Amino acid sequence: MDYLVDIKDVSFNLDEYLNIDQLIRYPAFSSHTSELYHMVITEALKFSQKTLAPLNTSGDREGCKLEQGVVKIPHGFKEAYIDFAKNGFIGMDVPQTYGGQGLPVTITLAANEFIMGANYAFEMYPGLTRGAAHLIETFGSETLAKLFCEKMYLGQWSGTMCLTEPDAGSDVGNLRTQAKPLPDGTYAISGNKIFISAGDHDITENIIHLVLARVEGDQKGTKGISLFAVPKIWVNDDGSLGANNDVMCLGIEYKLGIKGSATCSLNFGEKGLCRGFLVGERSQGMKHMFKMMNEARIFVGLQGLAVSAASYQHALKYAGERSQFGKTLLQFPDVRRNLMICKSLTEGMRGLLYKVALIADVAKNETDPITKERAQNRIDLLTPICKAYCSDFGFRITEIVLQIFGGYGYTSEYPAEQYLRDVKISSIYEGTNGIQALDLVGRKLTKNGGQLFREFYEDVETSLQKIEKEKQLVEAAQKLRKGINTLGQVAMKFGEWGMNGNWDSPQFYATPFLEMCGHVVLSHVLLEQALLCIPKQNSEFHQNKIQTALFFCNEFLPLVSARAESIMQTNSKNKEVL
Ligand SMILES: Cc1cc2nc3c(=O)[nH]c(=O)nc-3n(C[C@H](O)[C@H](O)[C@H](O)COP(=O)(O)OP(=O)(O)OC[C@H]3O[C@@H](n4cnc5c(N)ncnc54)[C@H](O)[C@@H]3O)c2cc1C
């Protein structure tokens, strides 16, 4: 399957909207140049198109198999992984201490749009490895970091994240996996984990599982959970490999999409011989894991964008080639509207995610405490929106795309159906989208007396004052102002319900509220971009950006008021029907 991407829009985001060269002002990036950033992006695109995309359909058809206790992954994945690691793509944004590249998050995110869009299932293997190694590097001792991280970033060993158990999905605090202190300072681990991505395979000589477990006697619930690094094959103090560490793959899931990614049930310590190293502080495992998960959630939103943007490009191409009634599909207004929905959503999501990545670079590198705090507040507020909105609307785009392909879209002759199947998981894992909505309404809206939302409101207002000076944008700007004010009113209503002890209603409406926020946030980003395009209207690309922003605001902002109406006029009785 070809990987198609709107490279002009990617470049517009990096160079014109975000001006990535500004990052070079930070000491961590002082040796970087604009040429380096463009070279990394170009190499990632080349690798994605030449090496990863050709394995996307075959990986889906072949899937993973468990044969005599060994997980077999699709042909070509192992070789691609070795090349991927050689190119330094695993630890792109992590410090260089243990083999990372020390690149900005913004560049890493843009490169990952190509990687994920070209082969989502493949990306799970390096993605999980990077996450696991980064957890060890951030919270583990120096000894542990030295033992594991370099080998993981350089592709010799891989990694997983093991949270989920049969009775502990969203409710991670209910986990049963146990850890027992041993005299040598390690822990005996025993328990079952399910749905573990990249849980077992023969790509690398060892797999380091990052496992959440409870040390015997520690508190129930999330507060008593600790984090452990559990190698599939034991690692001696000198880094050499020891004996098998009693980690067994009991089975793999046969599932809707990302079939090339092995989703495994793992048994730790069936023979009583599994050992792990404590990572970070005892009983702080959830805190450590959540810090990483918050970063990872932006990248899950990116999975939603990457796959749906690739599927939209295929639909656009197909609509220009397929004729019915003597016209191409592209000439039919209904098809054009559907394509415009896909185009405006993908450009809005790309703008949002790339911008949040830049804010993450600011939050990490800024020395001014006020700027740093404000950047972190913005990330905190936008993380659940990036994750849930981009994965939900990513899925909707792939559904529209399949429709544009008609009957051919339903068959596996074209890639539309695989994109749809693949992208769905991004709304489920890394905290379901329902849980993201609760995080937005329960934590982010209420944090510091509503400071996060207030700061966002101020920034939108500041940019609106510039946007509404442009005649072409004034109407859309007014719609955006109405949209953000409506969000404020609904947030106040949630607060009022809460004060009266009615916590049920804000939870009932958390998901539509997140969707409303997404419409407003994307409109803001697209109008900021449109404003930049006003003086460049002699280019067709910039003209189209303005029209796309206006289309999105007209299509999606009215939905904010409509949703608000249904929330405000709710009647508690109709919620009690089930
Ligand atoms: C392909 C795949 C890969 C995965 N990879 C990994 C991995 O690498 N590591 C790992 O640890 N896990 C992984 N998972 C597991 C995944 O993170 C869980 O499936 C997810 O967290 C949801 O848990 P659950 O399936 O038990 O659903 P449940 O928790 O049972 O949720 C079911 C539904 O109820 C809703 N719900 C639950 N609680 C609440 C609440 N309090 N309020 C409102 N709604 C609620 C949810 O939103 C959801 O819609 C993977 C899963 C899949 C399918």
Side-chain angles (χ1 to χ4, degrees), residues 20-38 40 92-94 96 100-105 107-108 361 365:
I20 45 163
D21 293 357
Q22 62 168 304
L23 289 169
I24 295 167
R25 75 180 189 276
Y26 292 121
F29 308 133
S30 61
S31 63
H32 295 176
T33 58
S34 182
E35 290 72 40
L36 170 77
Y37 292 160
H38 286 97
V40 172
M92 285 177 76
D93 64 330
V94 296
Q96 286 165 312
Q101 298 289 315
L103 286 162
V105 182
I107 301 302
T108 307
D361 283 318
N365 293 286

Side-chain angles (χ1 to χ4, degrees), residues 291-303:
K291 187 176 179 298
M292 286 296 137
M293 276 178 84
N294 273 328
E295 285 181 25
R297 282 172 179 169
I298 308 289
F299 280 79
V300 177
L302 184 71
Q303 290 170 335

Side-chain angles (χ1 to χ4, degrees), residues 469-539:
K469 287 200 179 107
E470 291 299 335
K471 226 163 95 195
Q472 271 177 280
L473 307 181
V474 69
E475 216 175 288
Q478 282 161 2
K479 284 196 179 102
L480 175 56
R481 178 166 286 119
K482 187 173 169 200
I484 189 144
N485 285 334
T486 306
L487 290 186
Q489 285 156 11
V490 175
M492 297 279 280
K493 187 75 185 170
F494 285 170
E496 198 184 296
W497 279 329
M499 301 258 273
N500 294 327
N502 173 8
W503 294 108
D504 227 44
S505 293
Q507 290 187 49
F508 196 84
Y509 286 112
T511 292
F513 182 72
L514 185 145
E515 194 173 303
M516 290 157 66
C517 289
H519 296 334
V520 167
V521 169
L522 258 67
S523 300
H524 179 222
V525 165
L526 287 169
L527 283 178
E528 279 185 328
Q529 297 191 342
L531 183 65
L532 275 177
C533 294
I534 294 275
K536 305 176 184 175
Q537 286 188 72
N538 50 358
S539 105

